[in-house]
Structure formats: structure tokens, C-alpha cells
Amino acid sequence: MDVDKQTIGYELLFRDSPQNSFPDIDADLATIRLLSDHILTTKQDTLGDLIGFINFPYQSLIDDIPSLFPPSKMVIEILEDCPPTTELLNVVKDLKQRGYTLALDDFVPSSDWQAFLPYIDIIKFDIRSVPIEQARSFILRMSGSKMQFLAEKVETMQEFELAKQAGFDLFQGYFFSKPEIIQKKALDPSMLTVIQLLTEVSKPELNFQQLEKLISRDVTLSYKLLTYVNSSPSVNSKILSFHQALVYLGEDRLRKFVSLVALAANDDSKPDYLYTLSIQRAKFCQLLAGKISAQVSSSHAFLTGMFSLLDCLLDRPLEQLVKEMPIDQVIQLALLEKRGALGGLLVLAKALERAQWAHVEKVGNKLKLSQDDIFAAYDQAMVWTAELLDVHTH
């Protein structure tokens, strides 16, 4: 993210089936496979206009693998275990000349890398191994350059603020998932409406009357719904009533629209990634619910994923929020205690987001889900969310 907490890109992590763990495969082969699988096939669906940060091990750089891909929208990360040889320096100069963006990953200041710095665009500091203060003095020394600095492993809002003050431009980590708790009396009405709407659209059978009642309660929602429907190329005559709009959209698109409104009702001080992630989790949990057992309701699964980041979005403890919302006991147990099949799905989603492949495998086995099903659902959820955001931004 940038200093305004806007998502600018993603680091693409390699996984290998069936082990789903990195060590069983040569790092260079991993990079090549990631590039061919992702950039050539699904990048447009999932990253859209965002940047992909990709790790390149030594040999793949020497073999000029990056040149198979266009320089735009890609950052070449030179891994920390690459030796700073003359051969590598020549490659770096050449890539820079051809317009590629270059980053040094997990950088630790040393004279060995001095010759590389004029060609580097981004320096990544892991603030767990190079403290923010130490990084600050390096950033100050480089103040005349056009280089950007990225703080990795930022885990709290406080670290984000400190890194920002130290002169970092970009930030990566899980700080968005640790809420800053601020005492508030109650949920504001519009947020409550959004939550009630989400509860409604997650039911297997939609109650149009109830939805109409909720939407007409909120001016911005009503406006957004009518604008959304009327902007569709297939609408011949203008749709003026909610009921008409709801019927026209049909169930699937209506569910999408309401999730989208939840996104659009966001608070600007929050990273947009939070909204994206909660919707992606919702879809992921929903897709896998049916595969676990007939007893697991897909609408419950959708809500579990959707609400799993509510504490971060509203800066209130999850326990408090859950008590205020009309949600089912099984969802409460999943959210607060990670219990039951729904709790398992939530744990699985988090492990995937953090590329903890061994944990993904363990939880998957417990839920009797195949690795193929898990990753297929994850990819599908990402594409679905990307499409939703595409509607939102255009």
C-alpha cells in the first residue's frame, strides 16, 4: 500500500501442488511457472491495473527470464540471497535500460550492493530484521535519489505510522488486520443497513420485499442501486422503481450488487484492501461450504467470511459487534472461537492469504477438502472479487 493506504500492488507467491510447499521445487523453476501461470493467464482478472511484485532468484535473472514479460506493471524483486556479482550487476543495468522496475528484497545495507543502487527503484526493508530507526538513517542518506522505500512485515497501525515518519513510501504486511480499538456507542444506521442487507442476500431464498424495505431506507443505497441497474447496456427503458430493479437484476447479480455496496459504503481512512479481502473471504467460504457437507449453509459461510474483518473495518471488538447483529449462533462461534466447519473455513482462508502452505494442507485434510478444490475456490473468489471491483471502479 502507499501512504494513503491505497493498494498499489501484490506480491505474487509461488505454490506447488500437491505438496503446496515451496522447498520441493527449484526456485528458478518456481518463478518461471508462476510467471507463465499467472501473468500470462490470470493477471488481468486478478491484478487488473495493479502491480505484481515477483521474486527472481539469481539464475533466472542471469538467464534473462524477466524479458519474457513486458516491463509495465511488474516489479522485479532481486532476492536477498543473490550474490552481488559483476555478472548480476550487468544484468541489472541492462534491465534498467530496457525500462524494468527493480527492487532489492530484504535489503541489509552493505558496501557490496553500493554499485547496484543507481539502478534500483525500490528498496525493501524487513522491519523485523532491520529496525525502523536503522532504516531511517539509510533513507536519509539516500534522500537525493528517486528511490522508493518499502517497509515489509508492518503488523500494527503504530508500526505503519512510525515507518511513514521514517520516510517509507510503501508498506506491506498485516497491519490492516489488527484493529485500532476506538470506543463507539453503536453502529451507525447506514452500516447497520448494509449488515442487514448482507444478512438478507446470504439467505438461500431472497425476500424481495424485505430487500426493498431495507434499500429504500437509505438514500445512498437507493441511488446506487438505480444508477447501477440503469448503467447496464442491456437496459432498454429506464428503471425507476426498486422492485423493478431488484427483479431485473436477478438473484446472482443482486447478491453481487449488495456486496459491492458494502464495499462502497467504506470509510476512507481504511485500506481498500480490507473491503476487497472481506468480500474475497466471503466468496471463498461460500464456494467451499457445499463441498464440506450438506449441513453447512453456503449463506452462513458467505457471512462468516464477510464479517471476519468487521472489527478492523469498524475499529470495534468483534465480540461487541457480533452481539449487536442478528446473526446465527454457528456464525458467532466461527467468528469468535474459530469453531465448527465455518471456523475451519475461516482459518483456511487466513492460511492461504499468508501463504502458509503446510497449514493450508493440514486444515484442508481436517475439513476433508482436496488441495485442488481449495485452490480452485481461492482463484475463483479472487476473480469474482476482481470483477466486482471492476464494476465498482468503472
Side-chain angles (χ1 to χ4, degrees), residues 321-346:
L321 291 166
V322 163
K323 284 193 187 99
E324 289 177 34
M325 292 183 320
I327 57 173
D328 208 284
Q329 183 75 24
V330 284
I331 301 173
Q332 289 193 25
L333 287 173
L335 291 172
L336 301 179
E337 299 171 32
K338 307 289 177 283
R339 281 188 18 211
L342 294 179
L345 285 176
L346 207 47

Side-chain angles (χ1 to χ4, degrees), residues 76-370:
I76 295 169
E77 286 198 21
I78 301 166
L79 292 179
E80 66 279 11
D81 57 6
C82 286
T85 61
T86 312
E87 193 181 19
L88 183 62
L89 182 58
N90 291 333
V91 167
V92 164
K93 286 178 182 173
D94 185 45
L95 286 167
K96 179 71 183 166
Q97 204 179 354
R98 285 186 277 160
Y100 286 91
T101 303
L102 297 153
L104 288 179
D105 193 22
D106 285 355
F107 183 70
V108 176
S110 95
S111 54
D112 297 347
W113 287 97
Q114 200 59 42
F116 287 77
L117 297 182
Y119 311 100
I120 298 298
D121 302 280
I122 299 168
I123 283 188
K124 295 181 77 173
F125 281 106
D126 175 344
I127 64 167
R128 295 277 164 263
S129 48
V130 176
I132 292 176
E133 271 313 304
Q134 194 184 330
R136 182 203 290 268
S137 54
F138 182 83
I139 292 171
L140 274 172
R141 284 212 306 279
M142 302 298 292
S143 61
S145 72
K146 287 204 175 99
M147 204 180 276
Q148 284 193 304
F149 297 92
L150 188 153
E152 272 189 290
K153 306 230 172 96
V154 180
E155 305 225 326
T156 63
M157 234 21 154
Q158 189 188 3
E159 283 175 348
F160 169 65
E161 291 301 337
L162 287 171
K164 206 157 67 163
Q165 287 158 23
F168 279 100
D169 311 278
L170 303 169
F171 311 86
Q172 185 176 352
Y174 299 120
F175 69 91
F176 56 80
S177 65
K178 298 215 173 131
E180 219 179 340
I181 301 299
I182 299 163
Q183 287 308 316
K184 288 182 185 166
K185 284 199 179 72
L187 289 176
D188 64 63
S190 65
M191 198 63 205
L192 197 56
T193 308
V194 166
I195 286 165
Q196 287 172 311
L197 272 170
L198 286 167
T199 311
E200 265 322 302
V201 293
S202 69
K203 290 178 180 168
E205 291 291 314
L206 289 187
N207 178 338
F208 282 86
Q209 249 175 327
Q210 183 58 15
L211 282 169
E212 201 174 338
K213 207 163 86 183
L214 286 169
I215 286 171
S216 45
R217 226 188 258 174
D218 190 305
V219 183
T220 51
L221 281 182
S222 322
Y223 171 75
K224 281 184 178 131
L225 174 68
L226 292 176
T227 319
Y228 174 64
V229 179
N230 286 311
S231 68
S232 166
S234 54
V235 174
N236 302 326
S237 55
K238 224 165 174 46
I239 286 179
L240 298 171
S241 79
F242 299 132
H243 191 72
Q244 231 185 324
L246 298 175
V247 172
Y248 166 77
L249 277 176
E251 301 207 351
D252 189 49
R253 283 171 64 206
L254 185 60
R255 285 192 169 93
K256 258 192 186 182
F257 168 76
V258 172
S259 310
L260 174 66
V261 168
L263 267 180
N266 72 27
D267 160 5
D268 290 340
S269 72
K270 293 289 168 193
D272 53 357
Y273 182 51
L274 270 182
Y275 297 91
T276 312
L277 192 59
S278 44
I279 283 205
Q280 193 175 296
R281 273 187 193 174
K283 191 64 182 171
F284 172 75
C285 293
Q286 184 186 37
L287 287 167
L288 288 179
K291 295 198 181 295
I292 295 178
S293 85
Q295 275 73 56
V296 180
S297 142
S298 67
S299 60
H300 281 166
F302 187 87
L303 278 186
T304 302
M306 190 75 207
F307 291 153
S308 61
L309 287 161
L310 214 52
D311 52 344
C312 316
L313 288 169
L314 300 175
D315 284 327
R316 308 253 319 272
L318 204 52
E319 290 84 345
Q320 232 180 57
L321 291 166
V322 163
K323 284 193 187 99
E324 289 177 34
M325 292 183 320
I327 57 173
D328 208 284
Q329 183 75 24
V330 284
I331 301 173
Q332 289 193 25
L333 287 173
L335 291 172
L336 301 179
E337 299 171 32
K338 307 289 177 283
R339 281 188 18 211
L342 294 179
L345 285 176
L346 207 47
V347 171
L348 189 59
K350 288 179 184 178
L352 270 164
E353 286 154 20
R354 296 179 180 207
Q356 295 163 336
W357 309 134
H359 198 43
V360 168
E361 195 170 3
K362 195 173 133 191
V363 181
N365 290 342
K366 222 172 167 177
L367 293 168
K368 296 189 171 51
L369 288 168
S370 78

